[in-house]
Amino acid sequence: MLSDESLQELERHVNACDEAREKLQSALDDAESVGTDAPADKKAAALEPVADAIKQWRDHQKAFMDAVEESEAPDVPMAALFLKNKADVDATNARRGLPGAHVEGTDQPFDLDLTGTRGTILTNAIMEL
């Protein structure tokens, strides 16, 4: 069983991962709206928020994994189960594998659409920034 303090710490990191995911989706939408005919500098500027959101998500995932390690939970899946049962918090985004920003312990698939322009934007942001 996890202490209330451990649960709160894990929940804080899960919420931060959820927020970073929302930022990534918004940044991808914004970058996609720039269009392929935009000047190169405008397209490049649109990649920065995408890369920043991925970095934030990765950093919050690392903090979540560190909190799991410091808690009484035997592993990440069990910590996620405790969170779900005790606090009704879904830790899926804290456990998603991020393209180009792997965090050890992530075991859930990345579920954003990476086809077409959005996939190109995400790939470019990861590779260039």
Side-chain angles (χ1 to χ4, degrees):
M1 171 91 78
L2 295 178
S3 69
D4 288 343
E5 183 179 291
S6 291
L7 282 170
Q8 289 171 351
E9 180 75 7
L10 292 171
E11 185 175 355
R12 186 172 63 83
H13 295 302
V14 166
N15 290 336
C17 287
D18 291 345
E19 289 171 14
R21 179 198 168 98
E22 289 174 18
K23 286 180 184 177
L24 176 61
Q25 288 177 309
S26 178
L28 284 168
D29 290 343
D30 292 347
E32 192 172 30
S33 71
V34 168
T36 56
D37 297 335
D41 61 331
K42 192 168 184 173
K43 288 194 290 188
L47 294 180
E48 290 178 22
V50 173
D52 186 52
I54 283 284
K55 289 175 189 174
Q56 286 180 26
W57 196 349
R58 177 204 61 207
D59 292 346
H60 293 303
Q61 280 185 328
K62 286 180 181 177
F64 173 78
M65 297 304 169
D66 290 344
V68 168
E69 191 171 310
E70 293 171 10
S71 76
E72 303 85 25
D75 56 24
V76 173
M78 190 60 72
L81 182 62
F82 285 142
L83 271 174
K84 186 65 176 165
N85 288 335
K86 294 291 185 180
D88 197 29
V89 173
D90 182 0
T92 302
N93 287 325
R95 299 172 61 193
R96 288 203 190 284
L98 300 177
H102 177 73
V103 173
E104 188 175 333
T106 54
D107 60 355
Q108 300 297 304
F110 186 73
D111 70 338
L112 293 180
D113 181 13
L114 297 180
T115 60
T117 303
R118 290 174 69 90
T120 301
I121 291 166
L122 185 62
T123 301
N124 289 342
I126 291 168
M127 292 178 63
E128 294 176 22
L129 304 171

